Amino acid sequence: MDVPVKKLKVATATLAGCFGCHMSFLDIDERLLELIKLVEFDRSPLTDIKHCGPCDIGIIEGGLCNAENVHVLQEFRLNCKTLIAIGACAINGGLPAQRNHLSLPLILEEVYHAQHGLIDGFIPNDPELPLPLDKVYPIHEVVKVDYFIPGCPPSGDAIWKVLTDLLAGREPELGHNLMHYD
Amino acid sequence: MDNTFTLDGKSIPYSEGQTIIQAAIAAGEYIPHLCFNPEFKPHGSCKLCTVKANGRQTASCTQQPQPGMVVESDTKELNDERRVLLQMLFVEGNHFCPSCEKSGNCQLQATAYELEMMSPHFDQFFPDRPVDATHSEYLLDFNRCILCSLCVRASRDVDGKNVFALSGRGIKSHLIVNAKSGNLVDTDFSGDDKAAHVCPVGVIIKKRVGFAIPIGRRTFDEHPISATPHPIVKGA
Ligand code: SF4
Ligand code: SF4
Ligand code: FES
């Protein structure tokens, strides 16, 4: 692969996800060393930078389950030239979206109030807490997403393939072995 | 004239009464399909098998070839349209593959891999479709039903039971169980029925099998669906 002259800036974030896709990202193992020759990380759980500045590539794990998720996603879309949805939750809501056929008040009531064994339970209402959304949404329903890496999680190899394709200026392609929804 | 047509430039022989897809499969060729199963009368509803025959779009599972017919299937135009059909099927139901027992053995998923469906593209419907777990051996997860009617055809035409039916119209179409209660337990459905083994997706699920064959080692993990035109699905 040709080494680009200038390092590309990459930001990553987890919204309503389990960090599994980020763990899978780390599964590229020693290829991380090759990657950091080509890219520089901006906002990411790996750097602990809290806000994302102008970036070449943004990678989002997880869907949208609360207002804060939406703000982070919008910050990424504003700042990243290319936005990638990684994993089932970002792509179709995934496991968290399995609450979507139930009403939010019913869920909150059940979890914090009515459930057997709770004494004096109440629904948390601290203003610091981001408000939950009525449903869990895939990210492409809120902003334009340029590329998708399916999988729960996608393998380190799948993530590597998409990143190296993009860095080399190719249209990313997974092929049968790396294409998984599970 | 002899009984051959061309499929993407290849000459395909056919016999009287065969449809385009039947002749193609017999010749080892793959045309994407979901509601077609070689053992049953065609239903012609999913339209995944749409090809261009002499320039006109038609469902290859219902269309019979003519001598010298020029059939196109594996083209960008048709595959783009097929991918949109798949995306509509995905958003209409609740397809959470990572927790679906059928994952890796599912024809909808395998066809989506084949056609490189990277996202569902459309907005999810997130419908509310309760699961029927009343039967001791099988459960019905309607969240994944694509209304292909294979279980309906199998139960009616092979088992002689009429356990399943499609009800409602348009977007309200759904699969029902023919019992007063609507529950599978109140029918004469049995695991020996053909209908228990035809669902191309993960609706009709044998209980207590789950992930006995782990994800990653299932039928379509090993081979793309195009390389297995008669899918013999593991553990089905
Ligand atoms: S039925 Fe198929 S497409 Fe639907 S969730 Fe199960 S594996 Fe995925
Ligand atoms: S349950 Fe399965 S076989 Fe029956 S109509 Fe639905 S998808 Fe087809
Ligand atoms: S396979 Fe022909 S219409 Fe479904």
Side-chain angles (χ1 to χ4, degrees), chain A residues 14-105:
Chain A
T14 298
L15 308 178
C18 70
F19 275 91
C21 295
H22 274 78
M23 296 306 290
S24 205
F25 179 40
L26 297 179
D27 277 344
I28 66 174
D29 296 327
E30 72 280 2
R31 288 171 291 186
L32 264 175
L33 300 174
E34 206 177 312
L35 186 68
I36 52 173
K37 286 186 204 147
L38 307 174
V39 309
E40 183 185 342
F41 282 96
D42 192 276
R43 174 180 177 156
S44 166
L46 309 175
T47 58
D48 216 24
I49 297 172
K50 302 295 184 208
H51 287 281
C52 137
C55 279
D56 297 287
I57 298 176
I59 302 176
I60 298 282
E61 165 191 336
L64 304 160
C65 80
N66 64 33
E68 197 234 351
N69 294 156
V70 179
H71 294 146
V72 175
L73 179 64
Q74 284 169 335
E75 177 181 297
F76 268 65
R77 183 66 279 183
L78 273 176
N79 282 289
C80 302
K81 285 185 203 148
T82 299
L83 194 64
I84 305 177
I86 183 174
C89 301
I91 292 174
N92 72 1
L95 184 79
Q98 300 202 25
R99 77 155 154 98
N100 283 359
H101 67 283
L102 301 169
S103 82
L104 185 60

Side-chain angles (χ1 to χ4, degrees), chain A residues 92 100 141 176 180-182, chain B residues 103 113 117 124 126 220-221:
Chain A
N92 72 1
N100 283 359
E141 293 192 19
H176 177 256
H180 276 281
Y181 295 168
D182 53 20
Chain B
S103 196
Y113 292 173
M117 189 191 105
Q124 298 279 347
F126 294 125
F220 303 118
D221 293 326

